[in-house]
Amino acid sequence: MASSPKRSTQPSTPDDPLATPHVRVAVIGSGFGGLGAGVRLRRAGITDFVILERAGSAGGTWRDNSYPGCACDVPSHLYSFSFAPNPEWPRSFSRQPDIRAYLEKVADVFGLRPHLRFHTEVTELRWEREHTRWRVTTRAGSWTADAVVSASGPLADPKLPQVPGLAEFPGRVFHSSRWDHDYDLTGKRVAVIGTGASAAQIIPEIQPAVGELTVFQRTPAWVLPRADREITALEKWLHGRIPATGLLRRASVFAMRELQVGAFVRQPEMLRLVQRMAVRNLERGIADPELRARLTPDYRIGCKRILLSNTYYPALAAPNARLVTSGLAEVRGSTLVAADGTEAEADAIVFGTGFHVTDLPIAERVFGTEGHSLAEEWKGGMEALRGSTVHGFPNLFFVIGPNTGLGNSSMILMIESQLNYVIDALRTLDAVGATAMQPTARAQRHWNLEVQHRMRRTVWNTGGCRSWYLDSQGRNTITWPGSTSAFRRATRRVDLSEYELLKRTAPVAREVAA
Ligand code: NAP
């Protein structure tokens, strides 16, 4: 006998496989994307959802990255949800503990706790064609879901280089996003591998405490001064009492950032002025011309992420610091060997080597209408329609999907645009009486041809660098070649002419043992 699907947000367990609960939406991840999805679903009147989180608390990348000095390079009044302004931000560029606390508060204030499932890593997501739904298998049981919002994040899975001999290194080894707080670096010989945004924040924090610091730099970064300051009590009072002042502040930061887009996207030569500022910053920070030369990038500013720091150069110029201008190639006992043969002794290695971004691990676990994985689908490079949906994977919505990254503004703006799109998709399905939607192959191809066409002029593609924005084939599948406003417009509404609709023909229900 068919009955309506069992609605429950508790998972089935292996002992009770028949009782697989069904939810309208399964959200993967509880960072800004996943929590934002939860708020928007509730506001749309959808309460039948779970937020699946592999760790033991919420916060995503702002939970994982607890390294010393971790902070955001986008002013907090813009790097926060539009629907959850925070008059209490302590600094213009807030630090990780404050951002994490903000996300915890969002989870509380917006009633997301009942939806959160911790220690529930998604191990497989499989489309069940006969039921027109997803089967979501996790380490803590299974669910079925009409739709899945994948907000697992691009900066979630640490990337460690394959270095011969690393397994035999006798000291401590950890990645920037998995900081070993039990290990005291004081007085130790510490090697930091990489000079990206994470390493650049770690280096000045640990340099005064460590005995010797060796930095392995493969490619120098452009660095600009960081205009960070405390938010005064008066400002906080004003933002709390007169919310319009907070909104005004947000709007002005937004406008400044939006104005810069043209330079990154259409006229990289305009960045020459900014590059001159970075050269002056280097000259001010590093007195030794030889060290300065080794820290001077040979590509246009903006091609890789610009670093903001007032302490990075002084730390590298300190007497206990040494810069090796070559990548780590081999480890022989406690000796680290660079690709150019330079050697350094170390008690600990900190990898600031980034994340699996263009080869998202979640894609290995998702199986669509044809039975193959999303990783297989994307073996020629990641792509989606409007950064959100993929042909062959109905009702799977990405938050921070392909080509939604930014070089100069707040990712929270992009996340909120993608959430607008998800909510409109779910409303549209209800309105037309369909169960699922998937983009047509044609619409997806057309969107990506256009994105890649616009990408050709951007600084990320023309600036003469090799960054994590480019995949193994040299295609930029990460950044958005436009303004955040343009992306907002592109994701305001689902255009049904870009989609195929699917209707559930067989009932989803099964007999549930009494
Ligand atoms: P990343 O930008 O990918 O940097 C990785 C670094 O590791 C690069 O310098 C890379 O060199 C280097 N590297 C890789 N393998 C190496 C090897 N064998 N030897 C020596 N160096 C090696 O990673 P990330 O710093 O973690 O930052 C990732 C992203 O997170 C950022 O771009 C940003 O979006 C975000 N983030 C933001 C902030 C902030 O707001 N302040 C802070 C941290 C992170 P190459 O350049 O030569 O590849």
Side-chain angles (χ1 to χ4, degrees), residues 391 439-447:
H391 179 70
T440 63
R442 190 170 178 275
Q444 189 176 316
R445 198 168 46 244
H446 184 262
W447 171 261

Side-chain angles (χ1 to χ4, degrees), residues 67 71-73 155 161 176 193-199 201 216 218-219 304-305 326-328 352-355 466 468:
Y67 61 75
C72 188
D73 276 354
L155 306 177
S176 53
I193 315 302
T195 51
S198 302
Q201 292 185 327
F216 283 75
R218 209 162 57 177
T219 316
K304 278 173 183 270
R305 193 186 162 95
S326 179
L328 176 65
T353 43
F355 299 86
R466 161 104 229 154
W468 61 262

Side-chain angles (χ1 to χ4, degrees), residues 365-421:
R365 302 177 181 192
V366 184
F367 297 85
T369 53
E370 303 309 313
H372 63 249
S373 73
L374 184 56
E376 181 74 12
E377 178 77 16
W378 280 350
K379 64 179 185 292
M382 296 196 295
E383 64 166 50
L385 171 64
R386 299 177 192 273
S388 302
T389 50
V390 183
H391 179 70
F393 298 81
N395 275 11
L396 172 64
F397 299 93
F398 278 93
V399 175
I400 317 191
N403 291 114
T404 59
L406 300 174
N408 70 314
S409 190
S410 171
M411 279 308 295
I412 315 310
L413 298 168
M414 301 299 273
I415 288 173
E416 287 198 40
S417 293
Q418 294 209 275
L419 295 177
N420 287 343
Y421 197 67

Side-chain angles (χ1 to χ4, degrees), residues 333-353:
S334 60
T335 309
L336 310 194
V337 187
D340 68 358
T342 310
E343 296 189 359
E345 290 296 309
D347 301 312
I349 309 176
V350 175
F351 282 98
T353 43

Side-chain angles (χ1 to χ4, degrees), residues 61-62 65 67 69-74 79 93-94 99 154-155 159-163 175-177 192-202 215-221 226 299 304-308 324 326-330 338-339 351-355 357 406-407 411 465-469:
T61 200
W62 293 106
N65 284 275
Y67 61 75
C70 184
C72 188
D73 276 354
V74 177
Y79 197 84
F93 295 106
S94 292
I99 302 173
L155 306 177
K159 194 170 181 174
L160 291 167
Q162 300 291 323
V163 182
H175 186 267
S176 53
S177 70
V192 174
I193 315 302
T195 51
S198 302
Q201 292 185 327
I202 293 167
V215 175
F216 283 75
Q217 168 192 270
R218 209 162 57 177
T219 316
R226 186 178 178 84
Y299 56 87
K304 278 173 183 270
R305 193 186 162 95
I306 302 170
L307 307 184
L308 302 184
V324 174
S326 179
L328 176 65
E330 198 186 336
F351 282 98
T353 43
F355 299 86
V357 185
L406 300 174
M411 279 308 295
C465 76
R466 161 104 229 154
S467 73
W468 61 262
Y469 302 148

